[in-house]
Amino acid sequence: MSDEISISNSLPNKVFSKQLKRKANEFLSSRKNANNLVDIIQGLEKSIEDHNAAPLIPSLLALEIVFTEVLKNRGMVVEIQPLKPKENSPEIQYREWLRDRYCETYELILKSLYAEKASDSIQALATALNLLALEGKYPVEYITDSSFLFPSSKLRSILQCLLSSERSNTHLISRFQEFTAYHDVLQHSWKFLPGLTSRGQIPNDVYVDNYLNLINAMPVEGPQEDNNIRLLCDSLEKSKLMTFDYQAVRKNINKSWACVMHWKHSEATHQKVLTVLLERVLPHLDKPLTLTDFLMDSLDAGGAISLLAFQGVFTLIQEHNLTYPFIYEKLYSMFEPEIFHTKFKARLFYLADLFLSSTHLPEALVAAFVKRLARLTLVAPPQDITICLYFIGNLIIRHPGLKRLICHPNGGQVIRDPFIMDERDPIKSNAIESSLWEISALQSHGIPTIATAAKFISNPLPTIEWDLTQVIGITEDDIFDQAIRKSSKAAFLSFDRPTSMFLPKGDRTQEFWKLF
């Protein structure tokens, strides 16, 4: 072996990359340079074992260049004729030697997925998937009809590396998601996932996190046909294209998710399980009502977990005829100060708006939500106060009888507020006997945007509800910027050239005093 690879740790990355590229091109140009391939492979192996030996990326790219050309030229295919012994010619020996080096290289590429640097592991994944694509188009095995042969064993090895129980592979799974746009990759990934799922033992949080991220990275559109199927080998004949079998994928989804439901989840993984369930899995389950017990138990967890579980229960009620008589009591109990500090608060307002959209609800029930929201505005962050105010206004517009909370018999105010904040049953909270004094107090708020929004109870109500989507995404910085822009327009400007330090031009004081 030459000394070029062994001293590469002292060379700059660009010089080392050019050196490897030159060795790769020399190998492809003549079989006399076969040892160049061995040098590159050994250099990659040394880089994996010793991270300070040489960078990984140049070796990976050089090997990708080599085997890209070898696969395209069918340089590893050994023709086998039935009932005839295999020839042992130098050509066949060379092809078998290339195939052995290819298998060795692919194993090293899979080991590179565990590299410490994210850039190295991402490049290793890209190289592995690019070679997998080429091998599907130009199979290593001898095929008489030149049909597409998907290298499923290599894809399974990649998925096995992604589902590590020792390190988080979020960056790799994000890169892998780009390849799931191809239906054959997606189809085979779902095919292998049940076999790679942990069974009989409780996996740790790292494995569960990788597993859920992988499911989230493999979207399934549904049973409708896609006329523009994209495959790794888009140059094949249409008659040989692989169509997306939704029913097979759905069967594998149900198998995989059945295992997930038997795992014990921590608070972090519990939240992610619900997120993936709602956004990816639920529409494809055969028996979604079997999730009822899991969702009901999650409702009592509190915080974001309860909110996500509530959305799941709502889906079962709306689409699968689940009966839950205490749904409004549970929704009412979720409006706590802690909800404003979770990233799922927009879902709560969205679900509450759906549940309270019916005009046939008892006014006492809706009044309880209005009063609870009004009380929460006293402790909510500024950006959430505006959301609550507009939501309260929409509920009053939707239920005109609630105007009594504004025009209270006692002049819009009550001496002693009868509203019971700690009451879990909204009907028994006495909200209908109270008033919206909290909103009246907000009319003196220091932030002009909030003070202006709170004045809706002092003006005639509009006939059209406010669009909550316009205010849900507002942050504290947005409120501050709006206030600055509004106040800057009212700034006083001087059009006269000043003749003194403080007094304006034409002031009568200048007739008797001279200021320096």
Side-chain angles (χ1 to χ4, degrees), residues 18 51 78 90 105 107 125 128 139 147 158 196 204 218 233 238 291 300 317 351 377 394 406 466 489 493 505:
K18 290 181 179 179
H51 301 291
V78 178
T105 298
E107 290 296 327
L125 178 63
S147 61
I158 293 174
L196 298 174
N204 57 16
M218 298 193 301
C233 49
K238 291 184 178 180
L291 299 171
D300 300 327
I317 292 174
L351 292 173
T377 58
N394 287 347
I406 302 175
W466 285 286
K489 294 180 181 179
L493 301 177
K505 183 179 180 180

Short mmCIF file of all heavy atoms in Angstrom, two decimals, residues 18 51 78 90 105 107 125 128 139 147 158 196 204 218 233 238 291 300 317 351 377 394 406 466 489 493 505:
data_model
loop_
_atom_site.label_atom_id
_atom_site.label_comp_id
_atom_site.label_asym_id
_atom_site.label_seq_id
_atom_site.Cartn_x
_atom_site.Cartn_y
_atom_site.Cartn_z
N LYS A 18 -8.90 15.73 -3.41
CA LYS A 18 -8.41 15.62 -4.79
C LYS A 18 -7.55 14.37 -4.98
O LYS A 18 -7.59 13.72 -6.03
CB LYS A 18 -7.61 16.87 -5.15
CG LYS A 18 -8.46 18.13 -5.29
CD LYS A 18 -7.60 19.30 -5.67
CE LYS A 18 -8.45 20.57 -5.83
NZ LYS A 18 -7.62 21.75 -6.18
N HIS A 51 -10.87 8.52 14.44
CA HIS A 51 -11.50 9.71 13.87
C HIS A 51 -10.47 10.77 13.49
O HIS A 51 -10.78 11.67 12.70
CB HIS A 51 -12.51 10.30 14.86
CG HIS A 51 -13.59 9.34 15.24
ND1 HIS A 51 -14.56 8.93 14.35
CD2 HIS A 51 -13.84 8.68 16.41
CE1 HIS A 51 -15.38 8.07 14.96
NE2 HIS A 51 -14.96 7.91 16.21
N VAL A 78 -22.08 -11.50 -13.01
CA VAL A 78 -21.51 -12.77 -13.48
C VAL A 78 -22.64 -13.56 -14.14
O VAL A 78 -23.62 -13.93 -13.48
CB VAL A 78 -20.88 -13.57 -12.34
CG1 VAL A 78 -20.36 -14.92 -12.85
CG2 VAL A 78 -19.75 -12.76 -11.69
N PRO A 90 -10.17 -15.32 -15.69
CA PRO A 90 -9.72 -14.11 -14.99
C PRO A 90 -10.78 -13.02 -14.97
O PRO A 90 -10.87 -12.27 -13.98
CB PRO A 90 -8.49 -13.68 -15.80
CG PRO A 90 -8.00 -14.93 -16.43
CD PRO A 90 -9.21 -15.75 -16.74
N THR A 105 -17.34 -2.56 1.15
CA THR A 105 -17.55 -1.11 1.18
C THR A 105 -18.89 -0.74 1.79
O THR A 105 -18.99 0.19 2.60
CB THR A 105 -17.45 -0.53 -0.25
OG1 THR A 105 -16.15 -0.77 -0.76
CG2 THR A 105 -17.72 0.96 -0.25
N GLU A 107 -20.64 -2.37 3.95
CA GLU A 107 -20.61 -2.58 5.40
C GLU A 107 -19.90 -1.42 6.10
O GLU A 107 -20.33 -0.97 7.17
CB GLU A 107 -19.89 -3.90 5.72
CG GLU A 107 -20.67 -5.15 5.31
CD GLU A 107 -21.98 -5.28 6.08
OE1 GLU A 107 -22.02 -4.87 7.26
OE2 GLU A 107 -22.96 -5.78 5.49
N LEU A 125 -25.17 8.19 4.84
CA LEU A 125 -26.54 7.79 4.50
C LEU A 125 -26.85 8.12 3.05
O LEU A 125 -27.45 7.30 2.33
CB LEU A 125 -27.53 8.47 5.43
CG LEU A 125 -29.01 8.19 5.17
CD1 LEU A 125 -29.32 6.71 5.38
CD2 LEU A 125 -29.90 9.05 6.06
N ALA A 128 -25.04 5.61 0.86
CA ALA A 128 -25.69 4.29 0.91
C ALA A 128 -26.97 4.26 0.08
O ALA A 128 -27.22 3.30 -0.66
CB ALA A 128 -25.99 3.92 2.36
N PRO A 139 -28.90 -4.07 -11.44
CA PRO A 139 -28.71 -5.12 -10.42
C PRO A 139 -27.35 -5.79 -10.52
O PRO A 139 -26.79 -5.97 -11.61
CB PRO A 139 -29.85 -6.10 -10.70
CG PRO A 139 -30.85 -5.32 -11.49
CD PRO A 139 -30.06 -4.35 -12.28
N SER A 147 -35.23 -6.82 -15.58
CA SER A 147 -36.27 -6.20 -14.78
C SER A 147 -35.68 -5.52 -13.54
O SER A 147 -34.53 -5.73 -13.19
CB SER A 147 -37.30 -7.26 -14.34
OG SER A 147 -36.67 -8.25 -13.55
N ILE A 158 -30.11 -0.40 6.45
CA ILE A 158 -30.14 1.04 6.73
C ILE A 158 -31.16 1.35 7.81
O ILE A 158 -30.90 2.11 8.76
CB ILE A 158 -30.43 1.82 5.44
CG1 ILE A 158 -29.27 1.67 4.45
CG2 ILE A 158 -30.68 3.29 5.74
CD1 ILE A 158 -29.53 2.29 3.10
N LEU A 196 -38.61 -5.04 12.44
CA LEU A 196 -37.58 -4.31 13.20
C LEU A 196 -38.12 -3.73 14.49
O LEU A 196 -37.37 -3.09 15.23
CB LEU A 196 -37.01 -3.18 12.33
CG LEU A 196 -36.31 -3.61 11.04
CD1 LEU A 196 -35.93 -2.39 10.22
CD2 LEU A 196 -35.08 -4.44 11.35
N ASN A 204 -35.75 1.31 25.29
CA ASN A 204 -35.44 2.54 26.00
C ASN A 204 -35.97 3.74 25.21
O ASN A 204 -36.45 3.63 24.09
CB ASN A 204 -33.93 2.68 26.22
CG ASN A 204 -33.15 2.63 24.91
OD1 ASN A 204 -33.71 2.78 23.83
ND2 ASN A 204 -31.86 2.41 25.01
N MET A 218 -42.27 8.76 7.29
CA MET A 218 -42.78 7.91 6.22
C MET A 218 -44.27 8.17 6.02
O MET A 218 -45.12 7.43 6.51
CB MET A 218 -42.53 6.43 6.54
CG MET A 218 -41.06 6.09 6.67
SD MET A 218 -40.71 4.31 6.68
CE MET A 218 -41.68 3.78 8.08
N CYS A 233 -35.78 4.37 -10.18
CA CYS A 233 -35.34 4.15 -11.57
C CYS A 233 -36.46 4.59 -12.49
O CYS A 233 -37.27 3.81 -12.96
CB CYS A 233 -34.98 2.69 -11.80
SG CYS A 233 -36.21 1.55 -11.25
N LYS A 238 -43.06 1.65 -18.39
CA LYS A 238 -44.24 1.85 -17.55
C LYS A 238 -44.84 0.53 -17.10
O LYS A 238 -45.40 0.43 -16.03
CB LYS A 238 -45.28 2.66 -18.32
CG LYS A 238 -44.86 4.11 -18.55
CD LYS A 238 -45.98 4.88 -19.22
CE LYS A 238 -45.59 6.33 -19.42
NZ LYS A 238 -46.66 7.12 -20.07
N LEU A 291 -58.17 2.45 20.69
CA LEU A 291 -57.32 3.45 21.35
C LEU A 291 -58.04 4.21 22.45
O LEU A 291 -57.44 5.07 23.10
CB LEU A 291 -56.81 4.46 20.31
CG LEU A 291 -55.96 3.92 19.16
CD1 LEU A 291 -55.74 5.01 18.13
CD2 LEU A 291 -54.63 3.41 19.69
N ASP A 300 -55.85 12.28 31.71
CA ASP A 300 -55.59 12.62 33.11
C ASP A 300 -54.14 12.98 33.37
O ASP A 300 -53.77 13.26 34.51
CB ASP A 300 -55.98 11.44 34.01
CG ASP A 300 -57.46 11.08 33.88
OD1 ASP A 300 -58.26 12.01 33.66
OD2 ASP A 300 -57.80 9.89 34.00
N ILE A 317 -64.87 10.82 18.32
CA ILE A 317 -66.27 11.23 18.43
C ILE A 317 -66.81 11.66 17.07
O ILE A 317 -67.93 11.31 16.68
CB ILE A 317 -66.40 12.38 19.45
CG1 ILE A 317 -66.10 11.86 20.86
CG2 ILE A 317 -67.80 12.99 19.41
CD1 ILE A 317 -66.07 12.94 21.91
N LEU A 351 -59.97 23.41 18.95
CA LEU A 351 -60.95 22.42 19.39
C LEU A 351 -62.09 23.06 20.16
O LEU A 351 -63.26 22.68 19.99
CB LEU A 351 -60.26 21.35 20.24
CG LEU A 351 -59.26 20.45 19.52
CD1 LEU A 351 -58.52 19.57 20.51
CD2 LEU A 351 -59.96 19.59 18.48
N THR A 377 -57.35 35.90 31.36
CA THR A 377 -56.66 37.04 30.76
C THR A 377 -55.89 37.85 31.79
O THR A 377 -54.98 38.61 31.42
CB THR A 377 -57.67 37.96 30.06
OG1 THR A 377 -58.66 38.40 31.01
CG2 THR A 377 -58.34 37.25 28.89
N ASN A 394 -66.25 36.30 19.95
CA ASN A 394 -66.92 35.38 19.02
C ASN A 394 -68.01 34.59 19.71
O ASN A 394 -69.08 34.35 19.14
CB ASN A 394 -65.90 34.44 18.40
CG ASN A 394 -65.01 35.14 17.38
OD1 ASN A 394 -65.29 36.25 16.96
ND2 ASN A 394 -63.93 34.49 16.99
N ILE A 406 -72.26 41.50 29.74
CA ILE A 406 -71.76 42.86 29.53
C ILE A 406 -72.72 43.86 30.16
O ILE A 406 -72.31 44.72 30.95
CB ILE A 406 -71.61 43.15 28.02
CG1 ILE A 406 -70.65 42.14 27.38
CG2 ILE A 406 -71.13 44.57 27.78
CD1 ILE A 406 -70.54 42.27 25.88
N TRP A 466 -64.66 37.41 14.58
CA TRP A 466 -63.25 37.68 14.28
C TRP A 466 -62.56 36.39 13.85
O TRP A 466 -62.91 35.30 14.29
CB TRP A 466 -62.55 38.23 15.52
CG TRP A 466 -62.88 39.66 15.82
CD1 TRP A 466 -62.45 40.77 15.15
CD2 TRP A 466 -63.74 40.14 16.87
NE1 TRP A 466 -62.97 41.91 15.71
CE2 TRP A 466 -63.77 41.55 16.77
CE3 TRP A 466 -64.48 39.53 17.87
CZ2 TRP A 466 -64.50 42.35 17.64
CZ3 TRP A 466 -65.21 40.31 18.74
CH2 TRP A 466 -65.22 41.70 18.62
N LYS A 489 -45.65 57.13 14.30
CA LYS A 489 -46.40 57.98 13.39
C LYS A 489 -46.88 59.25 14.08
O LYS A 489 -47.13 60.27 13.44
CB LYS A 489 -47.60 57.21 12.82
CG LYS A 489 -47.22 56.03 11.93
CD LYS A 489 -48.44 55.31 11.41
CE LYS A 489 -48.06 54.13 10.53
NZ LYS A 489 -49.24 53.40 10.02
N LEU A 493 -42.51 66.43 14.83
CA LEU A 493 -41.37 66.79 14.00
C LEU A 493 -41.24 68.30 13.96
O LEU A 493 -42.25 69.03 13.89
CB LEU A 493 -41.53 66.24 12.58
CG LEU A 493 -41.68 64.72 12.46
CD1 LEU A 493 -41.91 64.34 10.99
CD2 LEU A 493 -40.44 64.03 12.99
N LYS A 505 -38.70 78.16 18.07
CA LYS A 505 -38.68 79.45 17.41
C LYS A 505 -39.99 80.21 17.64
O LYS A 505 -41.07 79.64 17.55
CB LYS A 505 -38.45 79.24 15.90
CG LYS A 505 -38.33 80.53 15.11
CD LYS A 505 -38.07 80.21 13.65
CE LYS A 505 -37.95 81.52 12.85
NZ LYS A 505 -37.71 81.25 11.42
#
